Amino acid sequence: TATPPWWCDAVIYQVYPRSFLDTDGDGVGDLPGVTRRIPYLARLGVDTLWLSPFFSSPMADFGYDIRDHTAVDPLFGDLADFDALLASAHAHGLRVLIDYVPNHTSGEHPWFLDARTGRHSRRRDWYVWRDPAPGGGPPNNWITLFGESAWTLDLKSGQYYLHSFLSSMPDLNWRNPAVQESMFDVARFWLDRGVDGFRVDCAPLVAKDPALRDNPGASAGTLAHHRPMGGYDGQLHLHDQGHPDLHRIYREFRTVLDGYGDGPGARIALGEIHEYDWAAWSRYFGRELDEMHLPLNFGLLRTSWEPGPVRDLVQEVTAALPAGAAATWVTGSHDDPRVATRVGPGQAANAMLLLLTLPGAAILYNGDELGLPDADIAPQDIRDPWGLRTPALSRDPSRSPMPWTAGPAAGFTEGGVRPWLPLARPPGGDAAAQEADPGSLLNLTRRILALRRGHPALGAGGIEFTDAPEGVLAYTRGSSPDGPSLLLTLNMTDRPVRLDKLPAGGPWHRHLSTAPQPPGAPAPSDPRVLAADEGVVWRR
Ligand code: GLC
């Protein structure tokens, strides 16, 4: 069998640059900080980095509101810093993806400044403008995720403009070919500099109902998918996103990427898609696998941490995959609560083991390799615009700075200033402490990644769930003529469980355990007993 394309089993590490490492003493992380930690990332064993936005921005949404797509914001450095980061990553064998934000710009972007000069401005139609509804008020019922109208009245022209997020983030009009071409030029700018691809922000939002019809239902508004777990109704047909025309856009985007190379040199698109109807989700690969290389799947973030639901999710997602396509798995992001908090500190290692042993690509959010929990953010410290409106939506807790050392501000900043967000402390200690502790989550993550490199079947091979006692998730990976090559058993409970029967194809031997094992510690007297919270990889 041919080796699958590189992205099919990539381990992608998401860097949130604001919170990674501050080298210029302003309390905010920067690009030279990322570059300084590339040896750490290479040693961890991931193969690809994805950087959240570092472009020129007023930072109303911490960089997702872009003022200049091809300039680095001075807060993060300059283009030379970016080139140095990229060169160092490549020299360490790491690919680099960057964020690409097609749906909206900052209201301070020159395109919007031009568009809002008047009804007849050259770039008016680059954004979505409409007259008020006949009786006055917004053109339709679309709302932002804060429940406010997605339309803001521009007093000068008497027209409304559309914004799926903050009113300072107007939505671009991708039905205008000039917008598409200019945004493709933005992609080309970074591809020419050598990036290995993009994470496409809010991918489903670029095509909306051309007639701008009302969304169904009084409460059914824009971005229902961003609502906390359980708030999403997969049956809902929303008119402000997911219009079928977006497939043409992503096919054309794919053509741009494909123009830059294939095989190991392929540049990829990783799409941010909050879609939990897996048939609808799988359409983002394209009928001929000619759209997104990796549509993100956020299912694990919305599934309860128990064997049954996790197994059902994995089976549903893998069943929906088109032939030749790879799944992606996500356990954390800058938009969601931290995995260590969600599953509890005892299960953080199992969550890492699961993430890195499911078939397909994995996205590892910075700090999760340390078991970083959500930070406690006092009301007066809230920075996230979502949290400032609706505290329950605040994403600050998962954006808190990386704890590197025992020094002041955990080594995140050298300036003696306060980090931009309060710090959280992982129970296993900061990165330096975990470095020195063989039983740390950091070292466990390295071991799992090394195992994954040595077993290509772990990334791209098949998965079979097997019978297990209550509270245990068990699956095998990879198949050879004489059966699967690895068995995984994750005890998702906080009590010991005995595995009375191991699947056929053995005998199975314990190969790796998530339980901290001091060097020289005796092997468990009964290898079939999983300690509380213990995950084990078995080998034949
Ligand atoms: C995506 C980003 C999120 C941002 C939003 C608007 O969901 O991940 O951080 O606020 O898009 O760009």
Side-chain angles (χ1 to χ4, degrees):
T1 51
T3 17
W6 70 262
W7 62 86
C8 289
D9 61 356
V11 179
I12 302 171
Y13 184 99
Q14 180 190 354
V15 174
Y16 194 66
R18 277 189 89 78
S19 300
F20 205 61
L21 179 65
D22 172 26
T23 61
D24 62 359
D26 59 1
V28 174
D30 43 49
L31 295 183
V34 181
T35 308
R36 204 181 285 177
R37 286 290 181 266
I38 281 178
Y40 164 87
L41 297 168
R43 214 161 56 241
L44 182 59
V46 299
D47 43 70
T48 304
L49 310 183
W50 146 36
L51 305 176
S52 279
F54 49 82
F55 317 106
S56 166
S57 166
M59 303 290 167
D61 192 23
F62 296 112
Y64 282 93
D65 50 324
I66 300 175
R67 177 165 52 201
D68 181 346
H69 294 99
T70 56
V72 172
D73 196 276
L75 199 55
F76 295 119
D78 57 22
L79 272 177
D81 292 321
F82 178 76
D83 291 341
L85 187 166
L86 190 61
S88 167
H90 285 165
H92 283 82
L94 299 170
R95 291 186 169 89
V96 177
L97 312 178
I98 63 172
D99 233 294
Y100 180 74
V101 186
N103 180 64
H104 41 265
T105 65
S106 160
E108 293 183 20
H109 196 292
W111 298 342
F112 191 70
L113 296 179
D114 182 2
R116 80 178 309 171
T117 56
R119 284 178 188 244
H120 301 291
S121 74
R122 187 157 85 90
R123 290 204 176 80
R124 186 67 167 183
D125 191 41
W126 284 40
Y127 294 84
V128 185
W129 297 91
R130 282 296 181 282
D131 288 332
N140 67 19
N141 74 353
W142 296 357
I143 55 174
T144 68
L145 83 157
F146 318 112
E148 298 160 348
S149 172
W151 297 91
T152 288
L153 183 62
D154 169 52
L155 292 172
K156 190 162 167 205
S157 63
Q159 284 193 311
Y160 283 85
Y161 66 88
L162 178 66
H163 51 88
S164 295
F165 294 90
L166 305 174
S167 59
S168 61
M169 296 160 72
D171 282 21
L172 283 165
N173 173 20
W174 276 74
R175 296 192 180 276
N176 179 340
V179 167
Q180 175 171 318
E181 218 25 53
S182 300
M183 283 303 294
F184 283 7
D185 280 343
V186 168
R188 290 186 188 102
F189 173 88
W190 292 104
L191 291 165
D192 288 339
R193 284 200 113 74
V195 303
D196 299 286
F198 303 101
R199 175 267 194 184
V200 181
D201 185 71
C202 298
L205 269 66
V206 298
K208 296 154 173 110
D209 177 32
L212 304 183
R213 277 172 291 179
D214 277 350
N215 271 330
S219 64
T222 302
L223 306 176
H225 55 264
H226 268 301
R227 298 219 173 94
M229 205 158 143
Y232 178 75
D233 173 354
Q235 303 314 307
L236 218 55
H237 183 77
L238 299 175
H239 291 301
D240 54 359
Q241 56 190 281
H243 189 276
D245 288 349
L246 56 82
H247 296 290
R248 177 193 55 74
I249 296 171
Y250 290 123
R251 270 197 304 278
E252 292 176 21
F253 188 63
R254 177 66 173 258
T255 310
V256 173
L257 296 172
D258 286 350
Y260 281 81
D262 55 12
R267 318 287 181 99
I268 68 160
L270 182 73
E272 188 205 13
I273 292 151
H274 288 276
E275 173 64 71
Y276 304 93
D277 166 347
W278 305 116
W281 163 80
S282 75
R283 280 181 218 125
Y284 286 84
F285 287 102
R287 256 192 257 279
E288 311 285 330
L289 295 192
D290 52 357
E291 296 179 31
M292 298 278 176
H293 299 73
L294 295 174
L296 285 176
N297 143 26
F298 294 95
L300 284 174
L301 292 169
R302 279 146 185 85
T303 299
S304 59
W305 189 248
E306 292 167 82
V310 170
R311 183 196 54 222
D312 293 349
L313 170 77
V314 173
Q315 285 176 332
E316 284 165 26
V317 169
T318 43
L321 280 176
T328 53
W329 303 102
V330 177
T331 47
S333 86
H334 65 297
D335 292 331
D336 297 281
R338 284 276 179 186
V339 63
T341 300
R342 216 171 54 247
V343 303
Q347 286 289 320
N350 268 341
M352 184 62 81
L353 183 60
L354 179 76
L355 174 69
L356 299 177
T357 58
L358 287 177
I363 321 273
L364 201 171
Y365 179 50
N366 61 193
D368 286 349
E369 77 277 25
L370 303 174
L372 197 60
D374 275 341
D376 260 326
I377 312 276
Q380 69 274 15
D381 289 329
I382 295 181
R383 296 282 177 274
D384 177 19
W386 299 13
L388 291 171
R389 276 150 204 258
T390 313
L393 288 181
S394 180
R395 299 165 295 177
D396 291 328
S398 64
R399 295 178 174 181
S400 130
M402 288 285 284
W404 293 108
T405 67
F412 165 70
T413 171
E414 293 163 3
V417 291
R418 251 162 64 114
W420 77 283
L421 277 180
L423 293 161
R425 303 274 176 184
D430 53 59
Q434 294 201 29
E435 190 86 47
D437 171 4
S440 67
L441 183 54
L442 175 62
N443 280 312
L444 175 70
T445 305
R446 287 184 181 147
R447 284 202 300 279
I448 302 170
L449 285 167
L451 179 75
R452 185 177 164 117
R453 274 194 306 282
H455 280 77
L458 264 187
I463 185 166
E464 293 286 347
F465 289 90
T466 71
D467 286 344
E470 209 182 304
V472 175
L473 180 69
Y475 50 99
T476 58
R477 293 298 322 275
S479 50
S480 67
D482 29 85
S485 52
L486 294 171
L487 164 68
L488 286 102
T489 54
L490 278 62
N491 181 0
M492 295 171 122
T493 73
D494 56 6
R495 1 170 204 99
V497 181
R498 182 162 202 282
L499 304 167
D500 289 319
K501 133 176 167 307
L502 295 178
W508 296 98
H509 303 286
R510 279 176 166 256
H511 180 64
L512 180 151
S513 164
T514 62
Q517 282 150 332
S525 52
D526 182 349
R528 291 210 182 183
V529 174
L530 299 177
D533 298 319
E534 187 185 23
V536 173
V537 183
W538 308 73
R539 219 169 170 171
R540 266 187 312 163

PDB file of all heavy atoms in Angstrom, residues 31 35 72 78-90 189-190 193-194:
ATOM      1  N   LEU A  31       6.515  36.503  17.838  1.00  0.00           N
ATOM      2  CA  LEU A  31       7.065  35.505  16.909  1.00  0.00           C
ATOM      3  C   LEU A  31       8.468  35.048  17.303  1.00  0.00           C
ATOM      4  O   LEU A  31       8.751  33.841  17.256  1.00  0.00           O
ATOM      5  CB  LEU A  31       7.039  36.038  15.462  1.00  0.00           C
ATOM      6  CG  LEU A  31       5.638  36.268  14.872  1.00  0.00           C
ATOM      7  CD1 LEU A  31       5.741  36.734  13.409  1.00  0.00           C
ATOM      8  CD2 LEU A  31       4.779  35.010  14.956  1.00  0.00           C
ATOM      9  N   THR A  35       9.909  31.181  17.758  1.00  0.00           N
ATOM     10  CA  THR A  35      11.162  30.681  17.167  1.00  0.00           C
ATOM     11  C   THR A  35      12.073  30.103  18.252  1.00  0.00           C
ATOM     12  O   THR A  35      12.665  29.042  18.088  1.00  0.00           O
ATOM     13  CB  THR A  35      11.892  31.825  16.427  1.00  0.00           C
ATOM     14  OG1 THR A  35      10.956  32.415  15.525  1.00  0.00           O
ATOM     15  CG2 THR A  35      13.108  31.312  15.670  1.00  0.00           C
ATOM     16  N   VAL A  72       2.930  41.885   9.566  1.00  0.00           N
ATOM     17  CA  VAL A  72       2.949  41.330  10.924  1.00  0.00           C
ATOM     18  C   VAL A  72       2.633  42.475  11.882  1.00  0.00           C
ATOM     19  O   VAL A  72       3.170  43.582  11.732  1.00  0.00           O
ATOM     20  CB  VAL A  72       4.343  40.725  11.226  1.00  0.00           C
ATOM     21  CG1 VAL A  72       4.455  40.314  12.684  1.00  0.00           C
ATOM     22  CG2 VAL A  72       4.622  39.534  10.304  1.00  0.00           C
ATOM     23  N   ASP A  78       8.004  41.466  13.094  1.00  0.00           N
ATOM     24  CA  ASP A  78       7.851  41.937  11.714  1.00  0.00           C
ATOM     25  C   ASP A  78       8.042  40.761  10.756  1.00  0.00           C
ATOM     26  O   ASP A  78       8.229  39.621  11.189  1.00  0.00           O
ATOM     27  CB  ASP A  78       8.820  43.090  11.429  1.00  0.00           C
ATOM     28  CG  ASP A  78      10.269  42.700  11.671  1.00  0.00           C
ATOM     29  OD1 ASP A  78      10.577  41.477  11.652  1.00  0.00           O
ATOM     30  OD2 ASP A  78      11.113  43.593  11.872  1.00  0.00           O
ATOM     31  N   LEU A  79       7.994  41.068   9.466  1.00  0.00           N
ATOM     32  CA  LEU A  79       8.081  39.983   8.478  1.00  0.00           C
ATOM     33  C   LEU A  79       9.394  39.216   8.581  1.00  0.00           C
ATOM     34  O   LEU A  79       9.432  37.997   8.371  1.00  0.00           O
ATOM     35  CB  LEU A  79       7.921  40.539   7.053  1.00  0.00           C
ATOM     36  CG  LEU A  79       6.488  40.631   6.533  1.00  0.00           C
ATOM     37  CD1 LEU A  79       6.487  41.277   5.144  1.00  0.00           C
ATOM     38  CD2 LEU A  79       5.825  39.247   6.478  1.00  0.00           C
ATOM     39  N   ALA A  80      10.465  39.937   8.912  1.00  0.00           N
ATOM     40  CA  ALA A  80      11.753  39.252   9.050  1.00  0.00           C
ATOM     41  C   ALA A  80      11.677  38.237  10.200  1.00  0.00           C
ATOM     42  O   ALA A  80      12.247  37.137  10.119  1.00  0.00           O
ATOM     43  CB  ALA A  80      12.877  40.264   9.296  1.00  0.00           C
ATOM     44  N   ASP A  81      10.957  38.576  11.261  1.00  0.00           N
ATOM     45  CA  ASP A  81      10.781  37.624  12.369  1.00  0.00           C
ATOM     46  C   ASP A  81       9.998  36.407  11.897  1.00  0.00           C
ATOM     47  O   ASP A  81      10.271  35.274  12.302  1.00  0.00           O
ATOM     48  CB  ASP A  81      10.033  38.268  13.540  1.00  0.00           C
ATOM     49  CG  ASP A  81      10.834  39.352  14.224  1.00  0.00           C
ATOM     50  OD1 ASP A  81      12.059  39.169  14.377  1.00  0.00           O
ATOM     51  OD2 ASP A  81      10.248  40.387  14.596  1.00  0.00           O
ATOM     52  N   PHE A  82       8.995  36.665  11.046  1.00  0.00           N
ATOM     53  CA  PHE A  82       8.226  35.528  10.540  1.00  0.00           C
ATOM     54  C   PHE A  82       9.108  34.642   9.672  1.00  0.00           C
ATOM     55  O   PHE A  82       9.097  33.405   9.799  1.00  0.00           O
ATOM     56  CB  PHE A  82       6.981  35.974   9.743  1.00  0.00           C
ATOM     57  CG  PHE A  82       6.253  34.784   9.190  1.00  0.00           C
ATOM     58  CD1 PHE A  82       5.472  33.996  10.032  1.00  0.00           C
ATOM     59  CD2 PHE A  82       6.416  34.397   7.867  1.00  0.00           C
ATOM     60  CE1 PHE A  82       4.840  32.845   9.547  1.00  0.00           C
ATOM     61  CE2 PHE A  82       5.790  33.245   7.380  1.00  0.00           C
ATOM     62  CZ  PHE A  82       5.001  32.473   8.225  1.00  0.00           C
ATOM     63  N   ASP A  83       9.893  35.261   8.789  1.00  0.00           N
ATOM     64  CA  ASP A  83      10.765  34.460   7.915  1.00  0.00           C
ATOM     65  C   ASP A  83      11.745  33.636   8.745  1.00  0.00           C
ATOM     66  O   ASP A  83      12.028  32.483   8.427  1.00  0.00           O
ATOM     67  CB  ASP A  83      11.533  35.372   6.947  1.00  0.00           C
ATOM     68  CG  ASP A  83      10.601  36.006   5.903  1.00  0.00           C
ATOM     69  OD1 ASP A  83       9.489  35.480   5.698  1.00  0.00           O
ATOM     70  OD2 ASP A  83      10.997  37.033   5.311  1.00  0.00           O
ATOM     71  N   ALA A  84      12.238  34.233   9.823  1.00  0.00           N
ATOM     72  CA  ALA A  84      13.194  33.503  10.678  1.00  0.00           C
ATOM     73  C   ALA A  84      12.499  32.318  11.355  1.00  0.00           C
ATOM     74  O   ALA A  84      13.064  31.217  11.451  1.00  0.00           O
ATOM     75  CB  ALA A  84      13.779  34.450  11.732  1.00  0.00           C
ATOM     76  N   LEU A  85      11.267  32.532  11.775  1.00  0.00           N
ATOM     77  CA  LEU A  85      10.499  31.452  12.407  1.00  0.00           C
ATOM     78  C   LEU A  85      10.330  30.293  11.408  1.00  0.00           C
ATOM     79  O   LEU A  85      10.594  29.127  11.717  1.00  0.00           O
ATOM     80  CB  LEU A  85       9.135  32.001  12.829  1.00  0.00           C
ATOM     81  CG  LEU A  85       8.191  31.126  13.659  1.00  0.00           C
ATOM     82  CD1 LEU A  85       7.083  32.005  14.247  1.00  0.00           C
ATOM     83  CD2 LEU A  85       7.549  29.995  12.911  1.00  0.00           C
ATOM     84  N   LEU A  86       9.902  30.663  10.203  1.00  0.00           N
ATOM     85  CA  LEU A  86       9.635  29.649   9.182  1.00  0.00           C
ATOM     86  C   LEU A  86      10.918  28.881   8.841  1.00  0.00           C
ATOM     87  O   LEU A  86      10.912  27.648   8.741  1.00  0.00           O
ATOM     88  CB  LEU A  86       9.066  30.351   7.943  1.00  0.00           C
ATOM     89  CG  LEU A  86       8.489  29.483   6.848  1.00  0.00           C
ATOM     90  CD1 LEU A  86       7.326  28.665   7.376  1.00  0.00           C
ATOM     91  CD2 LEU A  86       8.012  30.357   5.676  1.00  0.00           C
ATOM     92  N   ALA A  87      12.014  29.619   8.689  1.00  0.00           N
ATOM     93  CA  ALA A  87      13.276  28.958   8.327  1.00  0.00           C
ATOM     94  C   ALA A  87      13.702  28.009   9.441  1.00  0.00           C
ATOM     95  O   ALA A  87      14.131  26.877   9.184  1.00  0.00           O
ATOM     96  CB  ALA A  87      14.359  30.008   8.068  1.00  0.00           C
ATOM     97  N   SER A  88      13.561  28.447  10.676  1.00  0.00           N
ATOM     98  CA  SER A  88      13.972  27.594  11.778  1.00  0.00           C
ATOM     99  C   SER A  88      13.068  26.363  11.874  1.00  0.00           C
ATOM    100  O   SER A  88      13.547  25.238  12.091  1.00  0.00           O
ATOM    101  CB  SER A  88      13.956  28.386  13.083  1.00  0.00           C
ATOM    102  OG  SER A  88      14.061  27.517  14.179  1.00  0.00           O
ATOM    103  N   ALA A  89      11.765  26.561  11.701  1.00  0.00           N
ATOM    104  CA  ALA A  89      10.844  25.418  11.749  1.00  0.00           C
ATOM    105  C   ALA A  89      11.220  24.417  10.661  1.00  0.00           C
ATOM    106  O   ALA A  89      11.371  23.216  10.928  1.00  0.00           O
ATOM    107  CB  ALA A  89       9.401  25.886  11.575  1.00  0.00           C
ATOM    108  N   HIS A  90      11.391  24.908   9.461  1.00  0.00           N
ATOM    109  CA  HIS A  90      11.737  24.002   8.355  1.00  0.00           C
ATOM    110  C   HIS A  90      13.066  23.295   8.613  1.00  0.00           C
ATOM    111  O   HIS A  90      13.200  22.101   8.343  1.00  0.00           O
ATOM    112  CB  HIS A  90      11.752  24.769   7.027  1.00  0.00           C
ATOM    113  CG  HIS A  90      10.370  25.072   6.513  1.00  0.00           C
ATOM    114  ND1 HIS A  90      10.112  25.981   5.515  1.00  0.00           N
ATOM    115  CD2 HIS A  90       9.150  24.579   6.878  1.00  0.00           C
ATOM    116  CE1 HIS A  90       8.787  26.026   5.273  1.00  0.00           C
ATOM    117  NE2 HIS A  90       8.194  25.192   6.096  1.00  0.00           N
ATOM    118  N   PHE A 189       0.637  35.347  -1.272  1.00  0.00           N
ATOM    119  CA  PHE A 189       1.715  36.084  -0.597  1.00  0.00           C
ATOM    120  C   PHE A 189       2.421  35.178   0.420  1.00  0.00           C
ATOM    121  O   PHE A 189       3.648  35.095   0.473  1.00  0.00           O
ATOM    122  CB  PHE A 189       1.136  37.324   0.100  1.00  0.00           C
ATOM    123  CG  PHE A 189       2.131  38.065   0.955  1.00  0.00           C
ATOM    124  CD1 PHE A 189       2.931  39.058   0.405  1.00  0.00           C
ATOM    125  CD2 PHE A 189       2.277  37.764   2.312  1.00  0.00           C
ATOM    126  CE1 PHE A 189       3.863  39.738   1.196  1.00  0.00           C
ATOM    127  CE2 PHE A 189       3.209  38.437   3.107  1.00  0.00           C
ATOM    128  CZ  PHE A 189       4.002  39.428   2.537  1.00  0.00           C
ATOM    129  N   TRP A 190       1.624  34.453   1.218  1.00  0.00           N
ATOM    130  CA  TRP A 190       2.221  33.625   2.276  1.00  0.00           C
ATOM    131  C   TRP A 190       2.772  32.321   1.707  1.00  0.00           C
ATOM    132  O   TRP A 190       3.803  31.814   2.187  1.00  0.00           O
ATOM    133  CB  TRP A 190       1.197  33.376   3.381  1.00  0.00           C
ATOM    134  CG  TRP A 190       0.882  34.655   4.112  1.00  0.00           C
ATOM    135  CD1 TRP A 190      -0.239  35.423   3.987  1.00  0.00           C
ATOM    136  CD2 TRP A 190       1.735  35.356   5.029  1.00  0.00           C
ATOM    137  NE1 TRP A 190      -0.152  36.540   4.774  1.00  0.00           N
ATOM    138  CE2 TRP A 190       1.051  36.533   5.435  1.00  0.00           C
ATOM    139  CE3 TRP A 190       3.014  35.122   5.562  1.00  0.00           C
ATOM    140  CZ2 TRP A 190       1.600  37.449   6.335  1.00  0.00           C
ATOM    141  CZ3 TRP A 190       3.556  36.033   6.477  1.00  0.00           C
ATOM    142  CH2 TRP A 190       2.847  37.177   6.842  1.00  0.00           C
ATOM    143  N   ARG A 193       6.074  32.941   0.451  1.00  0.00           N
ATOM    144  CA  ARG A 193       7.064  33.033   1.542  1.00  0.00           C
ATOM    145  C   ARG A 193       7.435  31.661   2.067  1.00  0.00           C
ATOM    146  O   ARG A 193       8.372  31.541   2.853  1.00  0.00           O
ATOM    147  CB  ARG A 193       6.506  33.866   2.707  1.00  0.00           C
ATOM    148  CG  ARG A 193       6.507  35.344   2.458  1.00  0.00           C
ATOM    149  CD  ARG A 193       6.416  36.114   3.771  1.00  0.00           C
ATOM    150  NE  ARG A 193       7.654  36.840   4.036  1.00  0.00           N
ATOM    151  CZ  ARG A 193       8.016  37.941   3.393  1.00  0.00           C
ATOM    152  NH1 ARG A 193       7.257  38.444   2.450  1.00  0.00           N
ATOM    153  NH2 ARG A 193       9.150  38.550   3.699  1.00  0.00           N
ATOM    154  N   GLY A 194       6.620  30.645   1.719  1.00  0.00           N
ATOM    155  CA  GLY A 194       7.017  29.286   2.102  1.00  0.00           C
ATOM    156  C   GLY A 194       6.135  28.585   3.114  1.00  0.00           C
ATOM    157  O   GLY A 194       6.484  27.494   3.582  1.00  0.00           O
TER     158      GLY A 194
END
